[in-house]
């Protein structure tokens, strides 16, 4: 074989190896994303069963649901510091193993394991929540929008499927709800295995922050606008997830149909999560989308207040709006950051404050309903929050970066 032919053959082999690595990286990212919702969404449908099994009060059951969000709030700011010391890939790998352990511990019938496992899985998911935007910023700088679309859709689809299968699996599997929840450890272990080449590959090294990102995002007005947008959209999303069926049920719609409307709402949200990043990537900035999505939410909430009999229409509108706002919040972590470390720092800040604020949403909404015996005041408060979100979108959507 001639030297020229040998060189061409070597280049082809190198191209194949590079392509294989790229495919493995994308598969790993999507598997990490697949583990960021299921361990959380599987609890809601089984909460009453768990409550009866464990003898929990209503307050304790509510705390169990809120505990992962509180864990995100406390731990998210620490993730960029840990990643800077040991590397994003390796920290993600450790987190996947910890997630599997946490899921198993949560299902073990020993005193305290339900709570310990929930905290551990919350810590693990916080790592993925913070680092995935940073990984995309570094490894796919020209493909941030489509990759954000892929991973947000993966999160949404897996979360919805797991939520739908939780009760049927608990009914047929030996061990009931414990086995149904514990089986999710298998998905975490698959991701752990697929991610191993990234954890020990040549790029798995400590993150060195650049001088341009040395300034903390906590002192940036733009970062606070991104954080406010993230927190307010999460506030509304978790309220809707928790209370939409009850509102519909109190307005004459059966529990079964209310559940189907909530499923429709979530499916439409996933659909928008797939499309919006591709649209946003072609725009000069995202102010129109951020504010428009928020005002669309406002329209849906107003409709629920004044014409609840048009429930299908409001489910469609709120579903579309929630998808727009959620994926934009994720996209802002990369678009508003100068580099991968900046994306991790901004993501950590926004998710810490955002999830801490979001935990108050369902509790406040329910308390206002108990106080007034009506959904009117809670919905008015929700509309006020989404109006502020629209204003924050004007700031967060600007074509600027946090420095």
């Amino acid at each position: 074989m001639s030297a020229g032919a040998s060189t061409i053959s070597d280049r082809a082999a190198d191209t194949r190896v590079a392509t294989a690595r790229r495919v493995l990286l994308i598969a790993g990212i999507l598997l990490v994303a697949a583990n960021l919702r299921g361990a959380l969404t599987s609890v809601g449908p089984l909460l009453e069963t768990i409550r009866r099994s464990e003898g929990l009060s209503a307050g304790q059951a509510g705390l169990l649901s809120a505990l992962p969000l509180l864990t995100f709030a406390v731990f998210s700011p620490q993730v960029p510091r840990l990643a800077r010391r040991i590397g994003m890939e390796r920290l993600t790998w450790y987190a996947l193993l910890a997630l599997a352990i946490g899921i198993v511990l949560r299902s073990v019938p020993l005193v305290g394991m339900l709570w310990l496992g929930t905290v551990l899985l919350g810590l693990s998911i916080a790592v993925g929540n913070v680092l995935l935007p940073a990984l995309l910023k570094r490894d796919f700088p020209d493909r941030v929008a489509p990759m954000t679309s892929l991973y947000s859709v993966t999160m949404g689809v897996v979360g919805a499927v797991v939520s739908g299968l939780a009760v049927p699996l608990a009914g047929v599997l030996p061990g009931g709800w414990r086995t149904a929840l514990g089986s999710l450890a298998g998905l975490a272990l698959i991701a752990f295995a697929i991610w191993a080449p990234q954890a020990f590959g040549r790029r798995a090294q400590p993150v060195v922050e650049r001088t341009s990102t040395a300034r903390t995002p906590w002192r940036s007005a733009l970062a606070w606008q991104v954080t406010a947008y993230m927190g307010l959209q999460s506030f509304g999303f978790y309220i809707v997830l928790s209370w939409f069926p009850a509102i519909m049920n109190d307005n004459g719609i059966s529990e079964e149909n209310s559940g189907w409307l909530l499923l429709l709402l979530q499916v439409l949200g996933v659909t928008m999560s797939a499309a919006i990043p591709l649209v946003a990537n072609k725009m000069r900035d995202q102010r129109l989308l951020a504010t428009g999505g928020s005002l669309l939410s406002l329209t849906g909430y107003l409709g629920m207040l004044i014409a609840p009999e048009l429930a299908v229409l409001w489910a469609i509108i709120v579903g579309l709006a929630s998808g727009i706002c959620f994926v934009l919040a994720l996209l802002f972590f990369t678009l508003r950051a100068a580099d991968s470390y900046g994306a991790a720092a901004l993501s950590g800040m926004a998710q810490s404050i955002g999830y801490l604020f979001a935990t108050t949403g369902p509790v406040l909404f329910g308390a206002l309903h108990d106080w007034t015996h009506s959904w009117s005041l809670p919905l008015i408060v929700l509309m006020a929050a989404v109006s502020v979100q629209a204003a924050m979108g004007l700031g967060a959507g600007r074509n600027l970066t946090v420095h």
Side-chain angles (χ1 to χ4, degrees):
M1 180 183 294
S2 67
S6 177
T7 300
I8 292 173
S9 178
D10 290 344
R11 288 176 180 171
D14 289 343
T15 300
R16 287 194 295 270
V17 170
T19 300
R21 286 174 176 164
R22 194 76 162 173
V23 169
L24 191 61
L25 174 60
I26 293 172
I29 286 173
L30 295 183
L31 278 169
V32 172
N35 280 278
L36 299 183
R37 279 279 185 89
L40 308 179
T41 60
S42 57
V43 173
L46 294 170
L47 191 57
E48 280 302 311
T49 303
I50 295 171
R51 180 181 168 186
R52 290 193 298 270
S53 172
E54 297 295 290
L56 302 179
S57 66
Q60 288 173 323
L63 177 60
L64 183 66
S65 297
L67 194 54
L69 298 182
L70 292 172
T71 306
F72 297 166
V74 172
F75 188 59
S76 292
Q78 313 308 319
V79 173
R81 297 189 184 96
L82 290 173
R84 190 167 70 243
R85 294 179 59 187
I86 65 177
M88 291 192 290
E89 294 89 349
R90 196 158 295 177
L91 181 57
T92 301
W93 192 64
Y94 293 152
L96 288 167
L97 179 60
L99 176 60
I101 294 170
I103 290 171
V104 171
L105 288 179
R106 182 175 64 175
S107 301
V108 172
L110 293 175
V111 175
M113 289 298 102
L114 176 65
W115 301 96
L116 177 61
T118 299
V119 170
L120 184 56
L121 69 86
L123 293 173
S124 306
I125 293 172
V127 172
N129 283 340
V130 171
L131 292 187
L132 270 189
L135 287 165
L136 298 188
K137 182 73 173 181
R138 189 197 64 190
D139 293 333
F140 302 91
D142 299 325
R143 296 288 183 271
V144 166
M147 286 301 299
T148 300
S149 175
L150 274 176
Y151 102 75
S152 62
V153 167
T154 301
M155 287 171 57
V157 169
V158 173
V161 169
V162 168
S163 176
L165 291 177
V167 173
L169 286 176
V172 300
L173 291 176
W177 69 265
R178 297 184 187 277
T179 307
L181 294 183
S183 62
L184 291 170
L187 183 59
L189 290 174
I190 292 171
F192 176 74
I194 298 297
W195 193 254
Q198 311 303 327
F200 296 99
R202 59 186 178 182
R203 298 204 64 176
Q205 53 191 343
V207 177
V208 179
E209 60 178 299
R210 298 184 339 189
T211 303
S212 65
T213 57
R215 184 184 176 191
T216 171
W218 295 81
R219 298 177 181 177
S220 165
L222 177 59
W224 278 105
Q225 288 163 345
V226 170
T227 297
Y229 193 84
M230 168 68 190
L232 288 162
Q233 71 83 26
S234 296
F235 179 85
F237 174 77
Y238 284 105
I239 285 175
V240 170
L241 204 62
S242 301
W243 291 107
F244 182 83
I247 295 171
M248 296 299 101
N249 191 237
D250 281 358
N251 283 283
I253 296 172
S254 69
E255 289 186 359
E256 182 179 358
N257 287 336
S258 297
W260 282 114
L261 286 175
L262 183 61
L263 177 61
L264 172 65
L265 187 152
Q266 293 182 79
V267 168
L268 290 171
V270 171
T271 303
M272 296 308 290
S273 293
I276 289 300
L278 305 179
V279 175
N281 197 43
K282 298 181 183 298
M283 302 177 72
R284 187 174 63 86
D285 61 45
Q286 294 77 42
R287 287 177 293 180
L288 179 61
L289 281 176
T291 303
S294 302
L295 294 177
L296 193 62
S297 293
L298 178 61
T299 302
Y301 302 151
L302 179 61
M304 290 163 61
L305 175 64
I306 63 176
E309 66 276 7
L310 300 177
V312 174
L313 176 60
W314 310 135
I316 291 171
I317 289 176
V318 173
L320 294 173
S322 68
I324 294 170
C325 298
F326 169 70
V327 77
L328 278 176
L330 295 181
L331 201 56
F332 287 156
F333 301 153
T334 50
L335 294 180
R336 302 288 89 92
D339 57 24
S340 60
Y341 178 79
L346 179 57
S347 176
M349 171 186 170
Q351 297 197 56
S352 172
I353 301 297
Y355 282 122
L356 183 61
F357 182 62
T359 60
T360 68
V363 177
L364 174 63
F365 201 84
L368 289 173
H369 175 260
D370 288 344
W371 180 47
T372 62
H373 303 288
S374 167
W375 295 111
S376 297
L377 182 58
L379 283 169
I380 290 170
V381 170
L382 183 55
M383 286 187 284
V386 81
S387 298
V388 177
Q389 179 186 317
M392 291 299 103
L394 290 174
R398 292 175 295 164
N399 187 18
L400 301 172
T401 55
V402 175
H403 290 293

